[in-house]
Amino acid sequence: MKVKKLLTGALAVGLCLAMLAGCGSGSSSSSKKSSSSSSSKLSGTITAAGSSALKPLVDDAAKSFGNDNPDVAITIDAGGSGEGLKQVSEGTVDIGNSDVEASEKLDATAAGELVDHKVCVITMAPIVNNDVYEGGVKDLSTDDLVGIFTGKITNWKEVGGPDESIVLVTRPTSSGTRATFQKYALNGAEEASNTSMETDDSGVLLKNVQDTKGAIGYVALSYLTGDPGVKTVSIDGVKPTLKDTYSGDYKVWTYEHMYTKGKPNKVCKAFIDYITSDSYGKQMEKLGYGVSSKMTKTEH
């Protein structure tokens, strides 16, 4: 009897130990699952600088991306494409936003270290003060634009407008928007500079054109949504619209780039992927930017 009782007790103890071991195993598995789940959440920081033309898009995308990823902090500055490329090359920001390819602003070695992410198409439009538009200047030929921006044409009456002086509102040489406009609107002609009204802040440039009689400048379509207080001018009879950009009829456009030094880290890659996703494409167009896949012509 004693032997039987001892055996029964041993079996009971063994069963309890097995059950405890099972409970311990289940607890460990649950802990791993919880750890894995928390590690899949994005967290970290993203810093970006550069193109003022691209900034409204990146600002908007950062806001919606941040709603889904509250543990990611994103800081975006402007400063111009050249400055953005310089900073990403030096490693002071994670992303350099640019209207032009890195090779146009950096030496071959520095440009070779960067990885290009084409995120959208941007259209640049000539803009004039309302009095110029109402005075008859609604369309300019390429030759007219070259003459105006190189300083050879100085009065609007020379191109069918009112008898008043032309005031250039210009951008610094570091500006990617300036480089794009010079290349595709001015056929490469060197633009004159009006240092008293030189800015690479597109919002400031827009306000200067709006407030200055006889003024002309140029901005991206993203700054012309709603009522911008200025008028756009056609070039060679073609309006600066996304529709005419997609068809290839309007010529002053370029790809917008987000450069990283080497491959982007996990957080930066997720942000860039979000901007270029199909789901964000409709919002991109609402903001005045073009979806790259809709371009009929992919090169000028």
Side-chain angles (χ1 to χ4, degrees):
M1 287 293 290
K2 284 183 179 180
V3 173
K4 188 173 181 180
K5 284 181 179 179
L6 287 170
L7 286 171
T8 302
L11 285 170
V13 171
L15 182 59
C16 285
L17 288 172
M19 289 175 68
L20 286 170
C23 289
S25 173
S27 175
S28 174
S29 173
S30 173
S31 175
K32 285 180 181 176
K33 189 179 290 184
S34 174
S35 173
S36 171
S37 174
S38 63
S39 66
S40 65
K41 285 184 65 178
L42 279 175
S43 64
T45 61
I46 300 172
T47 54
S51 165
S52 64
L54 185 57
K55 191 174 185 296
L57 175 73
V58 184
D59 283 341
D60 180 84
K63 184 177 179 180
S64 51
F65 182 82
N67 289 337
D68 296 332
N69 300 278
D71 294 329
V72 177
I74 306 175
T75 303
I76 303 149
D77 292 319
S81 298
E83 185 61 26
L85 290 168
K86 177 176 176 286
Q87 288 188 36
V88 74
S89 175
E90 293 173 346
T92 55
V93 296
D94 301 311
I95 298 172
N97 298 325
S98 179
D99 309 325
V100 297
E101 293 184 1
S103 58
E104 294 188 32
K105 296 291 181 180
L106 301 175
D107 63 45
T109 301
E113 294 175 338
L114 303 183
V115 176
D116 183 8
H117 311 274
K118 290 181 180 178
V119 293
C120 65
V121 168
I122 195 161
T123 301
M124 309 296 183
I127 56 172
V128 295
N129 183 275
N130 287 344
D131 75 304
V132 175
Y133 188 86
E134 291 162 4
V137 181
K138 295 176 173 60
D139 176 77
L140 291 168
S141 68
T142 297
D143 288 342
D144 290 339
L145 280 173
V146 171
I148 289 168
F149 278 97
T150 57
K152 293 176 181 176
I153 296 175
T154 59
N155 192 296
W156 285 112
K157 68 180 180 181
E158 298 178 64
V159 290
D163 184 8
E164 61 186 49
S165 296
I166 294 172
V167 180
L168 297 179
V169 182
T170 59
R171 295 173 180 270
T173 55
S174 61
S175 168
T177 301
R178 173 172 172 154
T180 299
F181 195 79
Q182 180 179 334
K183 185 175 182 179
Y184 299 116
L186 306 181
N187 288 341
E190 190 62 39
E191 181 182 331
S193 289
N194 177 7
T195 53
S196 66
M197 281 194 179
E198 187 169 281
T199 177
D200 200 32
D201 185 319
S202 294
V204 172
L205 189 147
L206 187 73
K207 189 73 167 60
N208 286 343
V209 173
Q210 180 183 352
D211 294 344
T212 307
K213 189 176 180 180
I216 183 171
Y218 48 87
V219 294
L221 288 189
S222 51
Y223 283 88
L224 298 171
T225 56
D227 181 10
V230 296
K231 300 296 185 183
T232 59
V233 176
S234 299
I235 301 177
D236 296 323
V238 183
K239 293 180 179 180
T241 64
L242 280 183
K243 178 183 176 182
D244 286 328
T245 301
Y246 284 150
S247 68
D249 294 323
Y250 188 76
K251 62 183 181 179
V252 191
W253 63 269
T254 190
Y255 290 105
E256 283 293 325
H257 311 262
M258 295 177 77
Y259 278 95
T260 55
K261 191 167 185 177
K263 291 182 179 180
N265 60 36
K266 181 180 179 181
V267 180
C268 287
K269 184 179 186 304
F271 182 48
I272 293 169
D273 286 347
Y274 175 77
I275 291 176
T276 55
S277 66
D278 290 340
S279 60
Y280 189 68
K282 289 183 179 179
Q283 176 65 7
M284 182 180 286
E285 290 183 318
K286 286 180 182 178
L287 294 172
Y289 298 86
V291 177
S292 301
S293 61
K294 291 188 176 184
M295 292 297 292
T296 304
K297 296 179 180 179
T298 55
E299 295 181 3
H300 285 68

